[in-house]
Amino acid sequence: MEGTSCRSCGNALLPTDAFCSGCGIPVRARGMDAGSERRTLVQGALSTADRRHCRSCNAPLFPGDAFCAACGGTLAAGNEATLPDSGTKLRSLIEEASQGRYRILREIGRGGMGAVFLADDTDLARQVAIKVLSGGGTDPSTLQRFEREAKTVAQLRHEAIVRVHAVGGLGELHYFVMDYVEGVSLQRLLVDQGPLPIPIVEAVLFRVAAGLAYAHGQPSPVVHRDIKPSNILVDTDGQVILMDFGVAKVGNESVGLTRTGMIVGTAEYMSPEQVRSLPVTPATDQYALGAVAFAMLTGRPPFAGSFYEVLIAHQKEPVPDIRAARADIPEELAEAVERMLAKDPADRWPDLPTLLRDLELRPLSPYDPTTHEMAALSRSLYEGVVRHATTGERTSPDADGGTTGRLRIELSTDQLEVGDSVVVDVALETPDGTRPADGVTWSSDPPGIVRLDSETGELVAVGAGTTRVTARGVGVDGSVDLTVSPAQVASVAIRPDGLVLSAGESVQLEAVALSRGGLPMDEDRTWASSDPSVVAVTETGEVRGLRSGSASVVVYCGAGWAAAAVRVEETSATAMIPAVGTAAPVDTSAPVETSAPVETPVSADSGAVPPPPPPPPPPPPSST
């Protein structure tokens, strides 16, 4: 790029800007370094509290920017957001918002938009989990979904469903308080154990089905829409708890809160109707639970292969013979699971109570041997999730009479990928009790894999590999080994996300792919059109209207995909319209959620009518 100002509006430009931040026109070919110099300057010039970033691509912004210099997104409609707060600041804000009721102990989970903390409820003398959404890092639909999750779960009172106790907020901070479940996910059990014993499978199946039947039977039925092993917890008492109603459908909602490009689960547990963007019903949850039961019995979900192959298999492939994979499965259980996985919802069980009645499944008592076995498995793995590492037990200079002590390191997870951040807590254990360890210094060997803040205890994964993190202080030291995986695509969005074109008109689309830590991902993009006779798309994402009609333009990026609706009219009238179809996680975990056509967001006062739903996205071209 020549010169230092925009030729259109005169706005000052930086060498790595891909778009003018004043008028939004392209000023250079966009690459992975787009906005990099701007990022450095923003981070150096502004405090954390004053920084802003683009909601579309997370690029940093200067005050007064009207367009994002990295992706060209407009900021006039609220596409500007405060950067996620540090773990330390979130802690203090929660305590301030709750007027000191909740005393934050440690962070137990973190995603790109918020975190979960373990806290003491000082009023009721119990431990709780606080799920936080940093409002500055969200748009209205995400905040609306977050608030709806809290209200939905708060109205569900069943022993198999996590309970919500309170909702609160302060400024841009939004949170809700729920049960703290000491245990591990069913996904963790499957990874560690493989196929589970038949009594455990039946116990989990009963408990989750009973909780779902209760939710489905409400005056405004609640359909979970994201049943998968990672959303099912087994606690250290051997009880099963259903979590995460963040994408649930309540009653006959006509407005959906999902967004193009949000990955919220794994394709392995999606029903055929979800893949095809058809309306969801309680039968949708039944299908997903059937896929979970298949995984518990065989150690793997019913369909394997690439992301795209799994989506196609849900719609077209017969369910593999579960008895061929495991000979000891009772015939009636195998037949029940196969019926749960029927392609047509009408061919599944009429409802989950009928399933439980026909299988003669019953709840287990706390003293049942199967309950004890589940509790033992959960406890053994839970102790590995909250990492306790001690080395070099020595005499502590702070202890009277030369009392020995040890340093205990606690992490919320040992499964990190590049871009993740967690808070590391360290405590000094002595015969007189446990107290926070002061004056701790941190190091890692080899360096370059994690970055540690000695003041806040925040750890950021910056490179892939295995490293040993060591804490030293008060005469003792402790260490823990961590493995960091490469960042994976966690969300994909198409910009612009919906168009009305005239025949013969062309527009360049862009696919923005981010990791769960908000890092831009440079994965190969593959573009496709659901109807090439209506809309053609090049390998670089340029779309061209050919004749009147509607079609979906789909982009595949890593394990994620996004779809945007394009309508072609004979007259020239280019305008933005709501997108139809969403690509949904993970987790890296990478499940996908698609919203039904009736859920397409439409402004109530605009009079706009959403375009007809497109056919399901086509598979990507086969690679040679």
Side-chain angles (χ1 to χ4, degrees):
M1 180 188 67
E2 296 181 0
T4 59
S5 62
C6 174
R7 288 174 294 180
S8 176
C9 69
N11 184 65
L13 301 173
L14 294 174
T16 59
D17 286 352
F19 296 85
C20 173
S21 63
C23 66
I25 69 166
V27 293
R28 71 187 288 266
R30 184 179 180 195
M32 287 303 296
D33 64 337
S36 60
E37 182 168 342
R38 183 173 293 266
R39 180 181 300 277
T40 301
L41 290 174
V42 167
Q43 292 175 345
L46 301 177
S47 67
T48 300
D50 293 331
R51 295 176 194 168
R52 294 288 189 266
H53 77 290
C54 172
R55 185 174 299 119
S56 300
C57 71
N58 276 354
L61 307 169
F62 278 117
D65 283 355
F67 294 85
C68 173
C71 73
T74 178
L75 309 177
N79 188 29
E80 184 176 349
T82 305
L83 283 172
D85 298 300
S86 68
T88 302
K89 186 174 182 181
L90 281 174
R91 292 179 183 207
S92 62
L93 284 175
I94 294 170
E95 293 181 0
E96 180 182 354
S98 67
Q99 298 181 333
R101 173 174 179 174
Y102 302 113
R103 184 172 63 87
I104 303 303
L105 300 177
R106 60 184 173 87
E107 184 178 316
I108 56 177
R110 175 174 284 266
M113 300 296 287
V116 180
F117 292 90
L118 174 64
D120 276 336
D121 182 343
T122 59
D123 284 2
L124 298 177
R126 63 181 177 181
Q127 287 191 334
V128 295
I130 300 182
K131 186 171 184 177
V132 180
L133 184 72
S134 180
T138 65
D139 59 12
S141 66
T142 304
L143 175 58
Q144 196 175 352
R145 181 197 295 181
F146 184 81
E147 293 175 339
R148 187 187 63 173
E149 178 186 2
K151 294 176 181 178
T152 298
V153 180
Q155 295 171 17
L156 300 177
R157 299 179 179 272
H158 191 275
E159 60 185 2
I161 298 175
V162 67
R163 294 176 299 173
V164 166
H165 304 294
V167 177
L170 179 67
E172 293 186 337
L173 176 79
H174 306 274
Y175 69 87
F176 63 80
V177 183
M178 56 186 173
D179 289 334
Y180 172 59
V181 180
E182 288 191 355
V184 296
S185 70
L186 179 61
Q187 178 67 25
R188 186 69 181 262
L189 278 180
L190 290 172
V191 169
D192 186 79
Q193 299 291 315
L196 300 176
I198 298 297
I200 290 182
V201 173
E202 292 179 336
V204 174
L205 181 60
F206 173 85
R207 182 90 166 189
V208 177
L212 287 174
Y214 170 82
H216 296 164
Q218 297 303 296
S220 293
V222 178
V223 179
H224 189 284
R225 295 205 300 179
D226 197 17
I227 300 297
K228 57 186 178 182
S230 59
N231 280 340
I232 299 169
L233 296 187
V234 180
D235 70 16
T236 53
D237 292 326
Q239 302 302 313
V240 178
I241 310 294
L242 182 59
M243 308 286 289
D244 199 346
F245 283 74
V247 296
K249 179 178 173 64
V250 181
N252 296 316
E253 292 173 323
S254 59
V255 177
L257 302 179
T258 58
R259 294 182 353 199
T260 298
M262 295 302 293
I263 299 178
V264 297
T266 55
E268 283 80 2
Y269 303 96
M270 287 179 65
S271 68
E273 57 268 27
Q274 282 178 294
V275 175
R276 297 173 59 198
S277 294
L278 297 175
V280 297
T281 67
T284 301
D285 285 346
Q286 182 187 145
Y287 183 96
L289 182 56
V292 170
F294 191 104
M296 288 192 291
L297 289 166
T298 67
R300 55 180 175 78
F303 301 112
S306 71
F307 176 80
Y308 322 105
E309 290 170 339
V310 170
L311 293 182
I312 297 301
H314 279 302
Q315 301 178 75
K316 299 182 180 299
E317 298 296 326
V319 178
D321 185 357
I322 195 170
R323 282 159 289 201
R326 182 171 175 178
D328 68 333
I329 301 176
E331 184 175 354
E332 60 274 15
L333 178 59
E335 292 176 350
V337 172
E338 289 171 356
R339 185 173 176 182
M340 296 172 76
L341 291 169
K343 305 297 184 189
D344 187 341
D347 293 333
R348 298 169 200 160
W349 293 89
D351 50 44
L352 289 174
T354 302
L355 164 69
L356 297 180
R357 183 172 59 251
D358 285 9
L359 282 178
E360 299 182 352
L361 297 183
R362 298 288 184 271
L364 299 180
S365 80
Y367 310 103
D368 190 281
T370 299
T371 304
H372 283 289
E373 184 178 1
M374 294 169 65
L377 286 173
S378 177
R379 280 196 298 270
S380 66
L381 292 174
Y382 175 71
E383 291 171 359
V385 172
V386 180
R387 303 291 299 273
H388 291 232
T390 60
T391 63
E393 190 168 296
R394 304 173 186 172
T395 300
S396 169
D398 294 336
D400 295 334
T403 303
T404 59
R406 65 178 186 175
L407 211 56
R408 186 184 72 195
I409 299 174
E410 294 185 349
L411 292 176
S412 60
T413 181
D414 57 358
Q415 300 179 22
L416 299 173
E417 69 173 45
V418 174
D420 287 347
S421 63
V422 295
V423 172
V424 184
D425 289 292
V426 60
L428 176 65
E429 292 183 333
T430 72
D432 297 326
T434 301
R435 60 182 175 84
D438 298 322
V440 173
T441 60
W442 296 92
S443 63
S444 63
D445 184 31
I449 295 175
V450 298
R451 185 177 66 246
L452 288 143
D453 187 323
S454 295
E455 294 184 3
T456 66
E458 188 169 23
L459 179 150
V460 180
V462 296
T466 299
T467 187
R468 171 161 291 188
V469 176
T470 300
R472 292 186 175 87
V474 290
V476 293
D477 59 60
S479 64
V480 62
D481 293 330
L482 288 177
T483 297
V484 179
S485 302
Q488 303 291 324
V489 174
S491 67
V492 184
I494 294 177
R495 305 296 181 202
D497 60 1
L499 289 172
V500 178
L501 300 176
S502 59
E505 185 178 5
S506 297
V507 171
Q508 178 66 49
L509 298 181
E510 181 182 16
V512 178
L514 301 175
S515 71
R516 69 186 183 191
L519 298 176
M521 301 299 293
D522 193 23
E523 304 284 342
D524 290 339
R525 273 73 162 158
T526 301
W527 296 85
S529 171
S530 63
D531 190 344
S533 69
V534 174
V535 175
V537 59
T538 68
E539 61 181 15
T540 62
E542 182 180 2
V543 295
R544 181 178 179 83
L546 301 179
R547 63 175 179 84
S548 60
S550 296
S552 284
V553 172
V554 186
V555 62
Y556 302 93
C557 182
W561 62 275
V566 180
R567 191 168 72 222
V568 180
E569 297 179 344
E570 294 298 339
T571 58
S572 178
T574 303
M576 297 298 300
I577 60 172
V580 175
T582 62
V586 193
D587 232 2
T588 39
S589 102
V592 174
E593 176 203 358
T594 57
S595 55
V598 296
E599 298 179 322
T600 301
V602 179
S603 172
D605 54 6
S606 67
V609 178
S622 59
S623 59
T624 57

